Amino acid sequence: MTMLWSRKSDHDEIRGGHVESEDQLSLIPAWSILLAVAVFAAVQFLFHGVLPHHRHEMLPMRLLMGYSWGTAFASYVLLVGYVSRDVKRRRMPRGLWMLVVVLMPGGIGAVVYFLLRQPLLHPCPHCRTEIPSNCHFCPQCQFQMAPVCGRCYRGVQITDVYCTQCGHDLAEDHAPARLRAYSD
């Protein structure tokens, strides 16, 4: 049985002949999952054990509030766990970003983190230089990382016959064989 978060998606990248999956949910550490379950259970205990009302007409409101607040706090704990692993992967200062995410109120720290985080770096297959995944050529050895148009040098899909920006015939570019999906 395949787990939902371990399936290959359209966002999987092909690098050097093998597929690297951007498996985002596997970045959530086990401690964060266990803490989120404990936080959810604690909020349920708070709403149904500590703050019980003797009026039965309040039961639907108590259930709604307990599940809503429990889900919100548990989601925040999972988000903090995700950020704790993602900062390491992106080679950013872990302590600083954990303080920003935890101490800024209302989840604003997480929004700031996602707006300012560094791009993922991948090694060039030719010279092993760490470069962002959106680069089409390695800045050190000019190794072509992704297919580009030979006229305007904008990124194209490997299945494109003509450039979507300038209309150039991509078959004339003589792209490396590893970047061609179909050959005549």
Side-chain angles (χ1 to χ4, degrees):
M1 181 173 129
T2 348
M3 298 303 242
L4 176 65
W5 54 83
S6 64
R7 291 185 186 154
K8 302 289 186 227
S9 68
D10 294 338
H11 300 292
D12 296 347
E13 297 180 20
I14 299 176
R15 298 270 184 217
H18 66 281
V19 175
E20 295 178 1
S21 176
E22 284 288 329
D23 198 7
Q24 299 294 319
L25 287 178
S26 69
L27 287 177
I28 299 174
W31 65 263
S32 180
I33 295 171
L34 293 175
L35 187 59
V37 169
V39 164
F40 185 81
V43 170
Q44 299 313 307
F45 177 72
L46 175 71
F47 274 95
H48 302 296
V50 176
L51 303 172
H53 290 290
H54 300 292
R55 295 172 40 195
H56 295 292
E57 60 270 4
M58 296 298 288
L59 180 64
M61 182 59 75
R62 231 181 26 227
L63 287 172
L64 179 68
M65 294 301 288
Y67 290 142
S68 299
W69 283 104
T71 302
F73 289 139
S75 298
Y76 189 72
V77 169
L78 292 174
L79 180 68
V80 169
Y82 173 83
V83 169
S84 74
R85 285 235 179 121
D86 193 48
V87 270
K88 227 185 327 182
R89 185 173 71 143
R90 294 174 189 274
R91 297 186 184 120
M92 295 169 64
R94 184 177 187 182
L96 171 72
W97 283 108
M98 291 306 295
L99 280 174
V100 167
V101 170
V102 171
L103 294 181
M104 287 187 83
I108 294 173
V111 172
V112 169
Y113 170 74
F114 284 110
L115 289 175
L116 298 178
R117 67 182 180 171
Q118 301 293 322
L120 280 175
L121 299 176
H122 296 287
C124 170
H126 189 254
C127 69
R128 309 304 294 167
T129 302
E130 296 283 327
I131 57 175
S133 59
N134 60 352
C135 287
H136 298 296
F137 292 94
C138 175
Q140 297 296 320
C141 66
Q142 293 182 341
F143 186 78
Q144 188 173 358
M145 302 291 290
V148 294
C149 173
R151 182 185 298 160
C152 66
Y153 295 104
R154 291 187 177 141
V156 294
Q157 299 294 320
I158 59 174
T159 56
D160 289 346
V161 178
Y162 298 100
C163 177
T164 58
Q165 302 296 319
C166 68
H168 177 67
D169 185 8
L170 297 174
E172 297 173 2
D173 290 343
H174 305 293
R178 62 186 160 72
L179 296 176
R180 286 188 298 228
Y182 305 107
S183 61
D184 295 339

